[in-house]
Amino acid sequence: MPISLHIALYQPDIPGNAGTILRMGACLDLAVHIIEPAGFDMSDRALRRAGMDYLEMAALTRHISWEAFQEWIRTERLRIVLLTTRASTPYTRFEYQAGDVLLFGRESAGVPDTVHDAANERLIVPMRNGARSLNLATTAAMVAGEAVRQLG
C-alpha cells in the first residue's frame, strides 16, 4: 500500500518528539520528513529511545533546507497543510486528501512567515483560552489520526 500521508517537521528542537513521531509514522505507514537544520544530532539517544526499534521501519526523508523541501513539494505536486496557532480552521473541520503533507513547526518558535505563507492550507488545534500550545508529538498524533480516519 503506497504511503498516502506525510508528516513534515520544520527544524525540530526536541529529539524525543521527533523519535515519537517517527515511531508513529512507522506504525501507521506515514512518511516523515525532517526539514533541517534540526536542533539535535539525528543519532541522539533521546531520538532512539523515543523511536525504539521502529526507527528502522520508518520512512524518513531528510531535507537539507526549506528550499530543498519546497523543491520536493513542487516535484511531487503535494499540498502543504500547516498546523499553526495563527489559523482559524480547526483540524477536525478540514477535508484531507491523499498525499497531504502535514507540516509542524519548531517547538520553540513555530515557523517563520515565509513558511507560513507557503502553506496551501492552515489549520489549528483548538485549545482552551490561556493555553499556549500542546506537545508537538501529541499534536501530530491528533491531526494524523484525524487525517488517517478520513482517508480510511
Side-chain angles (χ1 to χ4, degrees):
M1 180 169 120
I3 291 176
S4 63
L5 196 63
H6 303 264
I7 295 175
L9 306 178
Y10 179 85
Q11 300 180 355
D13 294 319
I14 301 173
N17 282 335
T20 299
I21 292 167
L22 282 162
R23 181 178 178 176
M24 178 182 66
C27 290
L28 300 180
D29 202 20
L30 310 175
V32 178
H33 301 261
I34 293 185
I35 303 163
E36 296 183 354
F40 53 87
D41 186 306
M42 290 298 291
S43 64
D44 189 286
R45 270 184 31 182
L47 175 76
R48 284 208 249 270
R49 185 171 48 249
M52 296 179 61
D53 55 342
Y54 293 90
L55 293 181
E56 291 77 35
M57 294 172 48
L60 171 62
T61 302
R62 293 167 63 184
H63 302 271
I64 61 168
S65 66
W66 169 247
E67 293 74 23
F69 176 76
Q70 283 187 297
E71 181 58 35
W72 173 77
I73 289 287
R74 278 191 292 276
T75 300
E76 298 296 320
R77 298 178 182 205
L78 299 175
R79 180 170 74 160
I80 298 174
V81 179
L82 175 66
L83 278 295
T84 174
T85 58
R86 295 168 37 193
S88 58
T89 303
Y91 78 102
T92 54
R93 294 205 177 124
F94 180 75
E95 191 172 316
Y96 298 90
Q97 298 173 5
D100 276 349
V101 178
L102 307 177
L103 177 61
F104 299 88
R106 295 183 77 154
E107 292 93 337
S108 62
V111 298
D113 288 341
T114 54
V115 173
H116 195 277
D117 295 343
N120 302 96
E121 304 289 342
R122 290 159 205 81
L123 305 177
I124 189 167
V125 175
M127 295 179 288
R128 66 184 283 182
N129 287 338
R132 249 180 344 116
S133 65
L134 289 164
N135 172 275
L136 175 65
T138 300
T139 303
M142 291 171 64
V143 177
E146 174 62 16
V148 167
R149 183 193 69 79
Q150 285 186 26
L151 296 172

